[in-house]
């Protein structure tokens, strides 16, 4: 970082140091994250009911929608990353993030309005996949934008703690979706859920999206981006800037491989887990209500742990916390999945809770590290593209790969091996990352 960058960062941090402003930005970021990831995650939680209505079959339909439905949304993410990242680095973060909430909320609500396959035939799954593409596009632009937004408001010495609430928002969204779905199943019954009530969680995206949009629109642009505008140093082409710099290319490569364990950690442990518990354990399969309850316990555990891990990172550094989390995930994955595959409810809860605690250090810290790798001029673009590619490789294909491997090998422990392998990749990538705790964000 140059001397001018440090001076700019210092002056910007003085603006960011207004605790009240930082708190508003953090709350807005967390609520926006909640809405975005509720909309995105509810699909995985209710894919069984979608299969019956959209595909006309609970078994083959569920397998198709789980695998292909997840995959197409992840394939769309890089397009969202490229377009939204470019716009975010050109025109600013605030308006774009508010627009993304409207886009994903509308797509989610539209899923709840798709007529069944009995009514419109093959058009039903086609419409669903198109709406999943829109969800994926929006999610591709959301993560880096929301993290950059809060990170550019936060104080240097407390940045990870402030940014951690974006991650908390995403997990609370899944927890709310799990709890809400479980309540509906319990009160209305499985037959009613299959008939029409599965639409309710999707339609809830309308009021949630409005609340998130309203809160995001009321905030000002981040002080770091405002400083770029005032100095007239907003780059003309952020993508060209990112891809013609060796420094940025190295950071993008790290953005792909450092979050490797995030795929199994997030998408297998929380989004795909209900489907795994219900369909992949053979004679030990759980009911949908039990599967959602097991997932809810693990979500509570990680929501509690993330802010604690973030605070620890602000005290001892990013790299130690990431390293401990990767090692812990690798060590506990096999024995905890052994507990999960017993089919015993209590043991499954214990297994997922321990996995969630092990993964929490990574979930709390990784996005702060990724945001701190890039200067404000290309932060949204470069961070967004790298992380989306990482998500496709290690996350989007996870349900398809896991299902295929489980069927081919007959082993229910394939997800454990995936967690171990990706934890090793994350640990290896960490060796190329420099410590950024307490340092000001680079400007250019």
């Amino acid at each position: 970082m140059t001397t001018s960058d440090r001076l700019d960062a210092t002056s910007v941090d003085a603006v960011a140091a207004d605790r009240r402003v930082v708190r508003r930005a953090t709350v807005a970021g967390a609520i926006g994250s909640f809405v975005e990831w509720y909309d995105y995650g509810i699909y995985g939680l209710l894919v069984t009911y979608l299969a019956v209505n959209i595909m006309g079959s609970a078994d083959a339909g569920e397998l198709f929608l789980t695998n292909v439905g997840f995959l197409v949304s992840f394939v769309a993410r890089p397009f969202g990353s490229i377009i939204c990242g470019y716009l975010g680095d050109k025109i600013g973060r605030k308006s774009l993030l508010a627009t993304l909430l409207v886009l994903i909320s509308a797509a989610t609500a539209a899923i709840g309005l798709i007529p069944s396959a009995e009514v419109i035939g093959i058009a039903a799954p086609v419409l669903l996949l198109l709406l999943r593409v829109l969800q994926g596009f929006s999610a591709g632009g959301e993560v880096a934008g929301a993290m950059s937004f809060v990170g550019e408001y936060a104080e240097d010495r407390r940045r990870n703690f402030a940014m951690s609430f974006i991650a908390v928002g995403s997990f609370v969204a899944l927890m709310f979706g799990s709890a809400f779905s479980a309540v509906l199943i319990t009160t209305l019954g499985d037959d009613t859920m299959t008939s029409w009530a599965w639409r309710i969680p999707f339609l809830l995206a309308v009021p949630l999206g409005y609340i998130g949009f309203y809160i995001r629109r009321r905030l000002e642009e981040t002080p770091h981006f405002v400083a770029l505008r005032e100095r007239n140093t907003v780059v003309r082409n952020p993508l060209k800037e990112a891809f013609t710099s060796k420094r940025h290319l190295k950071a993008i490569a790290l953005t792909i491989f450092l979050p490797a364990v995030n795929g199994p950690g997030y998408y297998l442990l929380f989004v795909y887990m209900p489907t795994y518990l219900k369909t992949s354990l053979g004679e030990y399969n759980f009911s949908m209500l039990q599967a959602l309850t097991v997932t809810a316990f693990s979500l509570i555990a990680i929501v509690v742990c993330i802010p604690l891990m973030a605070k620890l990172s602000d005290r001892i550094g990013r790299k130690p916390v990431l390293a401990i989390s990767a090692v812990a995930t690798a060590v506990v994955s096999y024995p905890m999945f052994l507990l999960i595959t017993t089919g015993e409810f209590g043991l499954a809860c214990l297994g997922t809770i321990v996995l969630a605690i092990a993964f929490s250090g990574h979930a709390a810290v990784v996005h702060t590290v990724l945001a701190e790798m890039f200067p404000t001029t290309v932060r949204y673009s470069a961070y967004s593209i790298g992380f989306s590619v990482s998500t496709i490789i290690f996350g989007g294909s996870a349900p398809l790969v896991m299902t295929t491997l489980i069927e081919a090998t007959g082993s229910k422990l394939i997800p454990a091996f995936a967690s171990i392998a990706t934890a090793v990749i994350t640990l290896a990538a960490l060796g190329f990352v420099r410590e950024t705790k307490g340092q000001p964000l680079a400007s250019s």
Side-chain angles (χ1 to χ4, degrees):
M1 189 187 300
T2 65
T3 302
S4 62
D5 280 344
R6 292 185 186 279
L7 291 173
D8 290 337
T10 302
S11 62
V12 167
D13 193 53
V15 177
D18 184 335
R19 289 284 178 85
R20 186 172 55 183
V21 174
V22 174
R23 194 177 302 115
R24 284 176 53 205
T26 302
V27 170
I31 291 175
S33 176
F34 172 90
V35 174
E36 187 86 17
W37 293 103
Y38 170 82
D39 290 350
Y40 194 75
I42 199 69
Y43 175 91
L45 297 172
L46 297 176
V47 71
T48 300
Y49 300 107
L50 284 168
V52 175
N53 287 273
I54 303 301
M55 298 297 296
S57 167
D59 297 324
E62 181 173 356
L63 185 62
F64 176 84
L65 291 184
T66 298
N67 295 340
V68 179
F70 270 99
L71 193 57
V72 297
S73 70
F74 282 97
V75 170
R77 287 182 71 148
F79 297 98
S81 299
I82 292 169
I83 295 171
C84 296
Y86 178 88
L87 293 174
D89 283 332
K90 283 284 289 182
I91 66 175
R93 287 71 161 115
K94 184 194 79 165
S95 298
L96 184 61
L97 287 170
T99 303
L100 288 174
L101 270 186
V102 173
L103 179 63
I104 197 169
S105 296
T108 303
I111 289 175
L113 296 173
I114 297 175
S116 69
E118 292 181 356
V119 177
I120 61 173
I122 195 172
V126 170
L127 282 173
L128 177 61
L129 294 180
L130 288 174
L131 292 170
R132 285 294 287 169
V133 168
L134 284 179
Q135 286 186 317
F137 180 93
S138 175
E142 167 70 18
V143 178
M147 290 291 181
S148 297
F149 185 84
V150 175
E152 290 172 7
Y153 262 108
E155 301 169 76
D156 293 336
R157 64 189 181 87
R158 292 166 53 89
R159 185 178 298 117
N160 199 171
F161 183 67
M163 292 177 67
S164 71
F165 288 96
I166 303 290
V168 168
S170 70
F171 286 107
V172 170
L174 290 180
M175 184 166 61
F176 175 78
S178 297
F180 186 46
S181 301
V183 168
L184 288 177
I185 293 169
T186 303
T187 56
L188 300 177
D190 201 55
D191 290 340
T192 304
M193 281 293 292
T194 302
S195 175
W196 61 269
W198 65 271
R199 299 179 185 274
I200 296 174
F202 290 97
L203 296 176
L204 186 61
V206 175
L208 289 178
Y210 175 77
I211 293 169
F213 175 80
Y214 176 77
I215 291 172
R216 279 189 172 176
R217 287 290 294 173
R218 285 172 57 86
L219 285 174
E220 299 298 324
E221 188 54 80
T222 73
H224 281 260
F225 192 81
V226 169
L228 286 186
R229 279 179 175 166
E230 291 176 347
R231 297 195 312 271
N232 198 28
T233 53
V234 176
V235 296
R236 297 182 64 180
N237 190 333
L239 294 176
K240 182 180 178 181
E241 179 86 7
F243 286 112
T244 56
S245 163
K246 289 184 179 179
R247 177 167 64 102
H248 296 336
L249 285 173
K250 176 187 175 183
I252 289 172
L254 286 173
T255 306
I256 294 172
F257 292 103
L258 186 64
V261 76
N262 200 70
Y266 186 87
Y267 295 101
L268 288 184
L269 185 55
F270 300 104
V271 178
Y272 176 62
M273 183 59 73
T275 301
Y276 172 76
L277 292 173
K278 187 176 181 295
T279 63
S280 299
L281 303 184
E283 61 181 303
Y284 300 119
N285 281 346
F286 287 79
S287 69
M288 190 59 179
L289 180 58
Q290 288 176 319
L292 289 172
T293 305
V294 170
T295 305
F297 278 115
S298 64
L299 286 165
I300 292 171
I302 200 166
V303 164
V304 171
C305 289
I306 282 176
L308 300 177
M309 293 295 112
K311 269 196 168 184
L312 183 63
S313 165
D314 281 331
R315 291 178 68 90
I316 69 171
R318 319 300 192 213
K319 294 183 68 172
V321 177
L322 284 174
I324 292 168
S325 181
V327 171
T329 299
V331 169
V332 305
S333 288
Y334 186 80
M336 292 307 107
F337 268 97
L338 278 178
L339 294 182
I340 292 169
T341 56
T342 62
E344 293 289 336
F345 177 78
L347 293 178
C349 288
L350 176 61
T352 55
I353 288 171
V354 172
L355 284 166
I357 294 170
F359 175 64
S360 65
H362 183 88
V365 178
V366 68
H367 287 289
T368 301
V369 174
L370 301 185
E372 291 171 340
M373 285 183 183
F374 301 101
T376 305
T377 49
V378 298
R379 181 171 296 117
Y380 201 152
S381 302
Y383 170 9
S384 188
I385 291 169
F387 185 70
S388 287
V389 173
S390 177
T391 304
I392 289 177
I393 297 172
F394 301 109
S397 59
L400 177 60
V401 173
M402 293 302 103
T403 303
T404 302
L405 290 177
I406 289 171
E407 288 184 349
T409 64
S411 173
K412 305 165 190 172
L413 296 171
I414 293 296
F417 301 132
S419 294
I420 294 168
T422 52
V424 171
I425 294 172
T426 289
L427 201 57
L430 191 58
F432 297 92
V433 175
R434 67 180 183 86
E435 182 58 64
T436 51
K437 173 186 75 76
Q439 297 180 12
L441 293 175
S443 173
S444 62

